[in-house]
Amino acid sequence: MRRGSGGSRAVGLGGWFVSTGALPAWRAVGAVSAGGVLACVAGLVVHGGSRPAAVVVAAVAGGLVTAAGEGAGVPDRLRVRFALGAAGAVVAFGAVAVAVSGRPWLAALAMAAVAVFTSVGAGASPIGGAFGVLATLGYVLTVVIVSAFPLPGSLGSGALTATGAVLGAGVGLVVTAVAGALRRRRSTAASEQVSVFVAPWGAMWRSVRTVDEHLHDGLRRAIPLSLLVGVYEATGSHDVLWALVAALVVLMPTGKSPFELAAARVVSTVVGVVVLILLSALLPVWVLVGGAVPMVLLGTAYKASFPMLAAAATTIGAIVMVGAPAGSISGYAALRLVDTLAGAGIALAFAYLLWPADRPDADTPTSGGAALGAAP
């Protein structure tokens, strides 16, 4: 039995401009930025400019761990513990991504394992879902980073890059601990609501052993994502990468969201690509590049408040950041439109053709605060 399947958000045109009532997640955005920047600085100090992959991996790990520890609603006494669990997930799967770099079959099998881990974790508890999403992001982002900055053919180089994840996670833990200490010094509250950190591992194993709907969700995600990761590792194609990103968006976090919500994710991504093509014809490149990072930050902050607009904004910023070095943002955006449709189509086919009798699952809370708030 699924934990719950709720109604989907409105996906009509009016739904784009109507707030869901959720507050903007500026705190989480600030946490990602602070943890990522500080971890990047630490990576540069330790590795210098000679190992860019290790530095970027450190920045990603630092941002993810800090965001987990600083999630809204996490009691201060549990923040470091939650961040520690997130650090373990990010480091473990980041190290796996480094280890399988350049080995398409192994990379595909690892992606399948991450996908199943995420889905059965989401079925076990919101905390399991949070760890699973962090593991997914840690793995996929590290795969892309290592592909962008190829490693020399030695075990030592891979190990040094993997230490970037450890370094970044450590910085994220320190930032979480320091922020918590500062809050406790300023706090005037006499007491704090007692929350329980519920380990999801037993329920996750039960899903695998009984082959329940959550394992079905994992396989729905594992098959298309592992195929796309394997092809990307073999070819290094940006077209395959963007199809992978589109499929990941549709299939996060569970594998079978309500169809209206899955369609909304596809539509918002496509709208972002189309808007960028129009903007690139009207604005100079330097304006688009200057606005890329703010667009991503705004999209991330307002994802819960205005999900459709936020997804479109994040898409615009991400494409500009990737396409600007190639010198052809509009051409890059047009290609990304085709890739997005292909990736989304693949994801939807696997999501709704495999085990069609399974009910769709509502979105799983993936932030630290949501996870703890929903834990039994």
Side-chain angles (χ1 to χ4, degrees):
M1 183 70 67
R2 292 187 185 273
R3 278 181 295 96
S5 55
S8 59
R9 303 183 185 97
V11 295
L13 182 60
W16 283 61
F17 304 99
V18 177
S19 173
T20 62
L23 295 176
W26 284 114
R27 179 172 176 174
V29 171
V32 172
S33 302
V37 169
L38 291 174
C40 182
V41 171
L44 287 171
V45 170
V46 173
H47 295 287
S50 60
R51 300 187 184 93
V55 175
V56 180
V57 167
V60 168
L64 291 175
V65 172
T66 308
E70 287 296 292
V74 181
D76 280 339
R77 67 183 184 85
L78 293 181
R79 288 185 185 277
V80 174
R81 187 176 177 186
F82 190 85
L84 186 60
V90 171
V91 169
F93 287 100
V96 169
V98 173
V100 301
S101 173
R103 302 172 177 85
W105 284 105
L106 290 179
L109 290 174
M111 181 71 253
V114 174
V116 171
F117 176 83
T118 301
S119 293
V120 298
S125 75
I127 290 175
F131 286 164
V133 170
L134 289 167
T136 299
L137 294 175
Y139 178 79
V140 173
L141 291 174
T142 305
V143 165
V144 174
I145 291 166
V146 173
S147 176
F149 303 100
L151 302 175
S154 68
L155 181 61
S157 297
L160 285 172
T161 298
T163 61
V166 177
L167 177 64
V171 171
L173 287 171
V174 171
V175 172
T176 299
V178 170
L182 293 175
R183 271 192 303 273
R184 284 192 295 273
R185 290 186 61 182
R186 294 195 304 264
S187 176
T188 58
S191 62
E192 184 180 34
Q193 183 181 0
V194 177
S195 299
V196 179
F197 190 94
V198 181
W201 317 123
M204 292 171 67
W205 170 243
R206 195 159 49 247
S207 288
V208 174
R209 182 167 46 84
T210 60
V211 194
D212 66 4
E213 289 178 313
H214 303 301
L215 182 61
H216 292 174
D217 283 341
L219 295 175
R220 286 188 187 95
R221 300 178 71 241
I223 296 171
L225 294 180
S226 62
L227 287 173
L228 289 169
V229 165
V231 174
Y232 175 66
E233 278 283 355
T235 65
S237 168
H238 280 177
D239 297 313
V240 177
L241 171 60
W242 204 258
L244 169 63
V245 171
L248 195 63
V249 168
V250 173
L251 295 172
M252 287 288 275
T254 58
K256 190 173 184 180
S257 299
F259 184 79
E260 293 83 358
L261 183 55
R265 290 170 177 161
V266 176
V267 170
S268 59
T269 303
V270 170
V271 167
V273 175
V274 172
V275 170
L276 178 57
I277 293 174
L278 297 176
L279 289 176
S280 64
L282 300 173
L283 300 175
V285 171
W286 65 267
V287 173
L288 296 176
V289 173
V293 172
M295 290 291 279
V296 171
L297 294 177
L298 283 170
T300 304
Y302 283 92
K303 180 180 178 181
S305 306
F306 297 92
M308 301 284 281
L309 287 175
T314 304
T315 298
I316 291 172
I319 292 177
V320 170
M321 287 190 290
V322 176
S328 178
I329 293 176
S330 60
Y332 203 89
L335 289 174
R336 296 299 75 83
L337 177 58
V338 176
D339 299 336
T340 296
L341 292 173
I346 292 170
L348 289 173
F350 279 95
Y352 294 97
L353 292 179
L354 294 179
W355 296 286
D358 287 355
R359 291 180 301 164
D361 203 1
D363 270 356
T364 302
T366 54
S367 70
L372 285 167

